[in-house]
Amino acid sequence: MNGKPVIVTGGRDDLLRVWDLATHKLIGKPIPAGQDGVNHVELHHWDGKDIAVVSGGTLRAWDLGTRRPLTPPIMTDTLDTNLLAVGSHDGQHVALTEGEYYELQLWNLTTGSAVGASLKGHEAEPRAGAIGQLGGTTIAVTGDADKVLRSWDLKTGKALATAKVTSIDYIRSIAIQGGVAVVTGAGGDFYGRMERWDLATGAVTEVKHKGGFSPIELRELDGRTVAILGGDSTLRVADLATGKVIGQGWDDDDLLDHIAAVGKYGTTPILVIGDLDGTLTIWDLRTGRQLGKPFFGYGGGVETLAVTKVRGKAIAVTAGNDDTIRMWDLATHKPFRAPISCACIEYAPMTTATRAGNPVIVYAEIEHGLVARDAATGKRVDKTGIFVASAGGPAPLSADGSVVATVTQDGEAELWDLSAGNLPRRVTATEVDAVAVGSRIIATASGDQIKLWDQATGQPIGKPITSGGQAESLAIGQVDGKTIVFFQRRYAPEWGSIRLWDAMTGEPYSKALSIRSTAMAVTRVGSRTVLVTGQDDGTVIVWDPQTMKPLLPPFSGHHGAVSGVAVTMLKGKPIAVSGGDDGSIRVWDLTDLSH
């Protein structure tokens, strides 16, 4: 791109990132290219431009130089996110995708419109495809889960021929070379296989390789098709036309499952390996040596979010699916400190509390249980030995000042007083799904019941409240001089809905909120208590708990569901902070609520 070799990556955060191959640094801002995740990226050089064709919930072509889409998003009721092939047809740039009921559809990437009728014939899910030339005719070759290969005339939309591979059980990739379709995949023993389908004669033959190497995948390099070969924990790359091996190969079990791309860095042929956690490594195909250090290739979504004050600054704390805790200065939108590496339990809540008057971050780790870190330094200040629930879902977590409440692996609610050290105190609730701690009381949810407990003694208060379903989360707040318990439902048919109860009387308070909320926070803004919810459509809404009506128009901006919400003060103004599955943190002005 602009004379620089680059790598383009996409991930579950719906963002496309372009990296300078020489410096391993991000070039420009991420491109919001996906919807429901970036599942497949194909790079091409079209009309003098570097293009990325991206499939996710939509199909779209992006200009990597301008960071702008070249095409409208292609999103129809029949579009599946399985991108099979990209190529040229009738002077246009096109993409072939899997459609509904195993049909195939060709798309004009310039206009975003379908090209011709759908291609019908597969009786199983199409797994791979290629677009190429056969005797001056543009054709496509596709392979499905029943090991059936089909060739198509893309001008007429008619099927040309059908064949079936014999040694391949799972078709992985297809390339068209001359009058032959080359197919790679795995056999029943998971060992790689390659077969050639002669499109003129219809003959299908298996290609044998010397030295015990088996084909894994087909890629393009310098206008030629190359086969990535694996065997005996060794990786090789061979020219498909000549069968000659490029480079010396190298030994590494981990490389065989996460092939990313074959390309060139200057004059050096390279192999880029993408691991499941988003880490990229670059290898010289001639020497088999790694070039430079690994770098993180795509961003993860924000799994949970909390806010705190550190040295007078409003700080957002996030845990993501890249196994890091990150802290951000909300005034500058810049990192507050270096990321903290953690083996966090997936989607486990995180909260902020105080210890000796200082802000701390509390979260759950797989190996160490509940952990507290000083928010200013990032250093661990307490390790409780409390191992939290994880088998039935993320462990509930709640804090009020220095008191933190969680649920142990045996399903009991446990309190941890940070100011007094590691002195856990339990209440007799069992099989707890959610917990909240507020001023002088604890609320626990088990099954369809909510129980209240005295924070000081651990004794029950009043009668259990029938909630009507299992809790996703609980919160406690003061509304109109009353202590109110907020209940968010976990499962259908009313998942995400929120109900309120008066803690002292056990009676319902206000009407139910029938929404699909994915996150909930209760806090005070000025003199009033507000309920802030994040939605699965990416919006954030602020509610009046007394009327259950919105206090402000919905805030929108996230691409995907909101995973965490919180409220804090920034330069004297109340703000809401939200984190999303798209990996972004957004700040919303709540000043109007103070008037």
Side-chain angles (χ1 to χ4, degrees):
M1 189 176 78
N2 297 328
K4 290 183 177 180
V6 299
I7 296 175
V8 181
T9 61
R12 290 174 290 180
D13 59 358
D14 295 336
L15 298 176
L16 205 64
R17 289 172 169 83
V18 183
W19 304 86
D20 187 314
L21 189 56
T23 65
H24 290 191
K25 291 183 178 180
L26 186 67
I27 300 175
K29 294 182 178 180
I31 303 170
Q35 182 170 314
D36 297 329
V38 173
N39 295 339
H40 195 96
V41 180
E42 288 282 350
L43 300 183
H44 293 272
H45 194 72
W46 290 346
D47 304 330
K49 299 176 181 178
D50 292 294
I51 305 299
V53 181
V54 182
S55 71
T58 63
L59 183 70
R60 204 169 197 182
W62 292 80
D63 186 325
L64 296 180
T66 65
R67 293 297 203 277
R68 295 182 179 276
L70 287 175
T71 65
I74 300 172
M75 181 171 61
T76 73
D77 292 338
T78 60
L79 175 64
D80 194 280
T81 57
N82 190 9
L83 173 63
L84 299 177
V86 176
S88 298
H89 168 57
D90 201 18
Q92 298 294 325
H93 306 302
V94 294
L96 184 66
T97 68
E98 176 190 350
E100 196 173 25
Y101 306 118
Y102 309 139
E103 298 171 1
L104 305 173
Q105 183 62 58
L106 196 67
W107 302 90
N108 185 320
L109 288 172
T110 304
T111 65
S113 58
V115 178
S118 57
L119 309 179
K120 301 178 181 180
H122 281 295
E123 297 181 357
E125 178 189 4
R127 293 261 172 90
I131 295 174
Q133 294 291 314
L134 179 64
T137 300
T138 304
I139 66 166
V141 176
T142 54
D144 65 25
D146 283 345
K147 305 186 287 185
V148 174
L149 301 172
R150 292 182 182 274
S151 60
W152 313 84
D153 184 327
L154 292 185
K155 191 171 187 64
T156 64
K158 294 182 179 180
L160 296 174
T162 302
K164 193 167 185 176
V165 293
T166 56
S167 65
I168 297 173
D169 285 344
Y170 187 98
I171 295 173
R172 183 164 180 170
S173 59
I174 299 174
I176 299 173
Q177 191 174 59
V180 175
V182 183
V183 186
T184 66
D189 54 3
F190 301 103
Y191 200 66
R193 302 281 196 278
M194 180 186 292
E195 296 191 22
R196 293 165 56 90
W197 179 23
D198 190 314
L199 296 172
T201 66
V204 177
T205 56
E206 184 177 358
V207 179
K208 299 290 185 177
H209 285 270
K210 298 179 181 179
F213 289 98
S214 63
I216 298 173
E217 203 163 338
L218 300 172
R219 293 287 179 174
E220 293 296 319
L221 176 62
D222 291 340
R224 56 181 172 168
T225 303
V226 297
I228 299 171
L229 308 174
D232 298 327
S233 299
T234 305
L235 205 64
R236 296 283 193 276
V237 177
D239 187 312
L240 190 62
T242 64
K244 292 183 178 180
V245 171
I246 303 171
Q248 302 301 312
W250 53 91
D251 296 331
D252 196 323
D253 290 326
D254 295 335
L255 297 182
L256 303 182
D257 294 326
H258 311 306
I259 304 301
V262 171
K264 295 194 79 173
Y265 174 43
T267 60
T268 303
I270 61 170
L271 180 69
V272 182
I273 305 296
D275 204 348
L276 296 179
D277 65 358
T279 301
L280 297 184
T281 51
I282 305 167
W283 304 83
D284 186 326
L285 290 181
R286 292 195 182 103
T287 65
R289 293 179 179 176
Q290 184 173 326
L291 299 176
K293 296 179 180 180
F295 66 101
F296 194 73
Y298 63 79
V302 174
E303 292 184 345
T304 185
L305 174 144
V307 296
T308 188
K309 287 277 187 179
V310 182
R311 299 169 185 158
K313 296 181 178 180
I315 303 297
V317 188
T318 64
N321 50 30
D322 60 353
D323 287 334
T324 59
I325 293 174
R326 299 174 186 266
M327 301 176 65
W328 308 87
D329 186 326
L330 293 175
T332 64
H333 289 201
K334 293 182 179 180
F336 175 73
R337 54 156 291 110
I340 301 169
S341 213
C342 78
C344 300
I345 294 177
E346 188 177 16
Y347 288 101
M350 177 176 58
T351 191
T352 54
T354 59
R355 180 180 184 270
N358 296 318
V360 297
I361 308 163
V362 183
Y363 62 96
E365 285 194 347
I366 297 171
E367 295 183 359
H368 301 111
L370 208 59
V371 169
R373 288 184 182 270
D374 186 294
T377 66
K379 293 182 178 180
R380 179 174 293 169
V381 293
D382 269 310
K383 186 172 68 173
T384 66
I386 300 172
F387 285 86
V388 298
S390 59
L397 196 61
S398 176
D400 179 45
S402 64
V403 178
V404 179
T406 188
V407 178
T408 63
Q409 285 182 321
D410 55 10
E412 295 183 344
E414 189 150 54
L415 290 182
W416 176 31
D417 191 340
L418 284 168
S419 63
N422 299 337
L423 300 175
R425 180 168 65 253
R426 295 189 177 187
V427 300
T428 56
T430 57
E431 299 181 357
V432 177
D433 302 312
V435 64
V437 57
S439 179
R440 298 187 296 277
I441 69 168
I442 308 162
T444 60
S446 303
D448 64 351
Q449 286 194 335
I450 300 172
K451 294 182 180 180
L452 304 176
W453 312 82
D454 186 292
Q455 190 182 126
T457 65
Q459 296 301 307
I461 302 173
K463 295 180 179 180
I465 299 169
T466 301
S467 62
Q470 188 172 349
E472 175 68 23
S473 65
L474 291 175
I476 297 172
Q478 297 294 317
V479 182
D480 194 25
K482 300 177 180 179
T483 301
I484 302 299
V485 177
F486 295 72
F487 165 91
Q488 181 188 18
R489 186 182 174 107
R490 175 172 295 179
Y491 296 122
E494 299 177 9
W495 77 263
S497 62
I498 296 174
R499 298 178 182 272
L500 279 61
W501 279 273
D502 187 319
M504 295 301 103
T505 66
E507 296 295 322
Y509 180 87
S510 188
K511 63 180 182 180
L513 197 56
S514 297
I515 58 173
R516 294 178 65 154
S517 64
T518 51
M520 174 179 74
V522 178
T523 189
R524 292 190 73 81
V525 177
S527 60
R528 65 168 30 159
T529 297
V530 298
L531 167 67
V532 184
T533 62
Q535 314 298 121
D536 67 339
D537 63 0
T539 60
V540 174
I541 306 176
V542 183
W543 306 85
D544 182 344
Q546 291 182 279
T547 64
M548 280 305 194
K549 293 182 179 180
L551 291 168
L552 296 170
F555 300 117
S556 59
H558 285 289
H559 300 279
V562 176
S563 53
V565 290
V567 176
T568 188
M569 298 293 292
L570 178 63
K571 297 181 178 180
K573 293 182 178 181
I575 59 169
V577 184
S578 58
D581 287 351
D582 59 0
S584 69
I585 302 171
R586 297 184 180 270
V587 181
W588 316 97
D589 191 339
L590 303 182
T591 304
D592 289 345
L593 297 179
S594 302
H595 300 323

